[in-house]
């Protein structure tokens, strides 16, 4: 084999080792950051809130969300003590969380919620490198 052909073959082989990993990195899809909905709830009417919670849980699932915490024991580690229950659920992205939040069913559910509790809720964007726990 002529030296020029041999050097060309070596250069091509070396180039493929360098570009193959770069192609693999670029080929990975960009995953959106998850979105967490955090609620602080002081229930004033247990029966009314139970109806709200059941229907809201179904709506959350309809939009691809799932609960991470739902009214379990809460231990204050800083700030004033509270009687509030905490619920946390996660969606695959802020866009999906907003789609759930803007669903037509929310108006009726908000009325049920407001009659049976004092409620504070917010969406928190997670980090793109994080992922929700396996179900």
């Amino acid at each position: 084999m002529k030296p020029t052909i041999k050097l060309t073959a070596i250069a091509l082989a070396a180039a493929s080792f360098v570009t193959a990993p770069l192609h693999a990195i670029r080929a990975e899809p960009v995953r959106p950051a998850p979105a967490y909905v955090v609620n602080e709830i002081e229930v004033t009417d247990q029966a009314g809130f139970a109806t709200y919670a059941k229907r809201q849980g179904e709506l959350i699932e309809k939009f691809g969300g799932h609960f991470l915490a739902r009214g379990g024991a809460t231990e204050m580690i800083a700030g004033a003590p509270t009687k509030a229950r905490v619920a946390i659920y996660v969606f695959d992205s802020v866009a999906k969380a907003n789609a759930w939040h803007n669903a037509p069913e929310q108006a009726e559910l908000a009325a049920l919620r407001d009659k049976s509790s004092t409620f504070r809720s917010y969406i928190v964007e997670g980090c793109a490198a994080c992922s929700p726990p396996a179900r």
Side-chain angles (χ1 to χ4, degrees), residues 47-130:
F49 190 80
T51 300
Y52 162 79
K54 179 182 183 309
R55 292 183 52 203
Q56 187 62 266
E58 292 166 353
L59 187 62
I60 290 164
E61 288 181 13
K62 177 180 171 182
F63 281 86
H66 67 275
F67 283 89
L68 298 176
R70 195 171 191 182
T74 303
E75 183 177 327
M76 294 299 295
I77 59 172
T82 180
K83 296 177 187 173
R85 297 172 45 168
V86 176
I88 304 170
Y89 29 98
V90 63
F91 292 91
D92 290 339
S93 66
V94 171
K96 287 187 178 183
N98 280 319
W100 155 81
H101 176 68
N102 295 321
E105 298 95 328
Q106 288 293 5
E108 182 183 346
L109 289 174
L112 284 171
R113 177 195 68 210
D114 294 344
K115 286 181 186 175
S116 61
S117 68
T118 301
F119 205 88
R120 189 164 91 156
S121 183
Y122 38 94
I123 296 173
V124 180
E125 183 178 30
C127 58
C130 302

Side-chain angles (χ1 to χ4, degrees), residues 1-91:
M1 188 181 264
K2 293 183 179 183
T4 308
I5 295 173
K6 192 182 281 186
L7 287 174
T8 303
I10 292 170
L12 288 173
S16 69
F17 283 115
V18 171
T19 59
L22 293 176
H23 175 71
I25 290 170
R26 278 188 243 132
E28 291 182 28
V30 176
R31 182 181 183 159
Y36 300 91
V37 177
V38 180
N39 303 303
E40 299 172 14
I41 312 143
E42 290 190 41
V43 177
T44 55
D45 171 10
Q46 291 292 339
F49 190 80
T51 300
Y52 162 79
K54 179 182 183 309
R55 292 183 52 203
Q56 187 62 266
E58 292 166 353
L59 187 62
I60 290 164
E61 288 181 13
K62 177 180 171 182
F63 281 86
H66 67 275
F67 283 89
L68 298 176
R70 195 171 191 182
T74 303
E75 183 177 327
M76 294 299 295
I77 59 172
T82 180
K83 296 177 187 173
R85 297 172 45 168
V86 176
I88 304 170
Y89 29 98
V90 63
F91 292 91

